Amino acid sequence: MNLLSKISSLLLFILCCTPNWTIGQTSESTYNLVDIYKATKQNYDSAKMITPLNTDDIKYNEDIVYKKTRYKKLELDVYCPSKKPKKLMPAVILVHGGGWLTGQKENQRVMAQHLAQNGFVGVSIAYSLSLEARYPAAVFDVKDAVRWVRKNAKKYKINPNQIAVMGADSGGLLATLAGVTSHLKIFSTDDEPSDKIQAVINIDGIVSFVHQNAPAENSMASIWLNGSRNKNENAWKEASPLQYVGEHTPPILFINGSNPEINAGKSDMTTLLKIFQTYTETRTIPNAPPAFWLMDPWFDTTLNYSVDFLNKVFGQS
């Protein structure tokens, strides 16, 4: 069994061995930086922990409520450069992974802080997990986080026309889905301000549940999508970003690991983006472990690819 399968099995084991779980409860703590590092270190000797920054170069604004759901208050963290900017800054909203079942915004704090050091406003968000609310609740949460950032753009010196969403693992799908559907009614509530996204960074996230090269079974997706692919194929198709690529799709950076199942459909998506003359990049990190973006030495590579892409798209350099 490979490491990705081990991590997936561990998450499901935790769920199955906790019989009192019901919708409305959370499993955030089961997928955190320490546990991910310990699991990875067993197979990758080069893995090192990443640690939050503690510097006067960054303004720290943490645990801000951006949305109240039926089950909980959803919070986000905002990290800004301390130095007064010469012009309004792009914002990057970070969406954590965890198979839609687990995870926490704190997993993306370090990346958000490093983005702030590079001239961006990093915003790490929490969202509704599968045990709290099933699909499509998390999609709307991401879009509401975009609206919150746009609404508070003046306060944080953000350019409201330069908002990117960076998602990792299951968060990569959420970021991409939010990016390709901002002009469509399917996930729209017509709320103001706009949920439009100007750039997407997909870090090892799925782009299609129904592509011919995608696995027929995905246990965590089955929980999130209210049934297996055979039982609820419409939801599996509807939640696939590849279905919506068009002239309104924003620039996308794909940072991939080496798992072919996760990469299913990405070459098709980049082909479509090029047909619509939408800027796109694909970067592959060979021999990287699952959740590589949460550990050194792969964290730095992920950060550098992301900053270079954002600078190109937003004309920062």
Side-chain angles (χ1 to χ4, degrees):
M1 183 183 291
N2 62 32
L3 182 57
L4 178 61
S5 298
K6 287 180 181 178
I7 291 174
S8 298
S9 298
L10 176 62
L11 294 177
L12 289 171
F13 176 80
I14 292 168
L15 172 65
C16 294
C17 291
T18 314
N20 294 324
W21 277 120
T22 59
I23 294 295
Q25 292 181 288
T26 180
S27 54
E28 291 179 355
S29 62
T30 61
Y31 189 73
N32 57 62
L33 293 178
V34 174
D35 290 344
I36 294 165
Y37 165 72
K38 288 180 179 178
T40 304
K41 188 67 175 177
Q42 297 177 21
N43 296 282
Y44 292 81
D45 289 337
S46 60
K48 296 179 181 178
M49 280 281 292
I50 57 172
T51 55
L53 298 177
N54 184 8
T55 171
D56 292 337
D57 294 337
I58 299 172
K59 291 181 180 178
Y60 297 75
N61 304 274
E62 297 175 342
D63 302 325
I64 302 167
V65 176
Y66 76 91
K67 180 178 180 179
K68 295 180 181 179
T69 72
R70 177 181 175 185
Y71 302 111
K72 66 184 294 186
K73 295 177 181 178
L74 295 177
E75 297 179 336
L76 52 75
D77 306 321
V78 181
Y79 302 97
C80 309
S82 294
K83 187 177 180 180
K84 186 176 180 180
K86 296 179 181 179
K87 60 180 182 178
L88 297 178
M89 298 173 287
V92 184
I93 297 170
L94 296 94
V95 189
H96 68 78
W100 309 281
L101 178 65
T102 186
Q104 52 194 337
K105 65 180 172 61
E106 287 76 11
N107 289 353
Q108 292 295 344
R109 276 181 169 173
V110 182
M111 181 65 75
Q113 292 165 0
H114 279 269
L115 288 170
Q117 277 198 325
N118 282 273
F120 302 92
V121 177
V123 184
S124 179
I125 70 168
Y127 58 87
S128 300
L129 302 174
S130 295
L131 296 178
E132 299 159 353
R134 304 288 165 85
Y135 166 87
V139 185
F140 285 103
D141 294 341
V142 174
K143 288 173 175 281
D144 285 336
V146 174
R147 293 188 179 98
W148 185 94
V149 168
R150 193 160 270 127
K151 186 182 295 184
N152 289 273
K154 185 175 181 180
K155 177 179 180 180
Y156 295 105
K157 306 296 187 297
I158 292 169
N159 185 335
N161 298 314
Q162 293 185 335
I163 297 177
V165 181
M166 169 192 283
D169 181 51
S170 51
L173 178 133
L174 289 172
T176 311
L177 190 56
V180 299
T181 60
S182 59
H183 63 291
L184 299 175
K185 292 292 184 181
I186 184 170
F187 296 116
S188 175
T189 58
D190 294 323
D191 292 340
E192 293 295 337
S194 169
D195 65 356
K196 188 175 182 180
I197 295 165
Q198 282 72 46
V200 171
I201 299 176
N202 178 315
I203 305 173
D204 219 29
I206 296 168
V207 299
S208 177
F209 290 111
V210 296
H211 189 270
Q212 61 183 359
N213 295 329
E217 297 296 331
N218 183 324
S219 52
M220 286 186 280
S222 295
I223 296 172
W224 185 51
L225 296 169
N226 287 297
S228 67
R229 181 169 166 179
N230 288 335
K231 292 182 178 180
N232 199 5
E233 187 173 6
N234 285 341
W236 285 57
K237 182 180 295 185
E238 186 179 87
S240 297
L242 181 58
Q243 305 292 121
Y244 307 105
V245 178
E247 60 182 342
H248 298 287
T249 302
I252 300 179
L253 166 64
F254 296 103
I255 303 178
N256 299 330
S258 54
N259 188 323
E261 292 185 347
I262 292 177
N263 294 331
K266 288 182 180 175
S267 61
D268 294 343
M269 193 162 185
T270 56
T271 297
L272 286 171
L273 289 168
K274 290 175 182 177
I275 289 173
F276 288 105
Q277 298 183 329
T278 300
Y279 184 72
T280 184
E281 293 181 13
T282 298
R283 304 290 185 181
T284 300
I285 303 178
N287 303 316
F292 57 82
W293 55 92
L294 297 177
M295 291 161 286
D296 282 329
W298 309 279
F299 174 89
D300 284 341
T301 304
T302 303
L303 172 67
N304 292 336
Y305 284 152
S306 300
V307 169
D308 288 347
F309 170 78
L310 292 167
N311 284 337
K312 290 175 185 175
V313 171
F314 294 137
Q316 294 292 98
S317 61

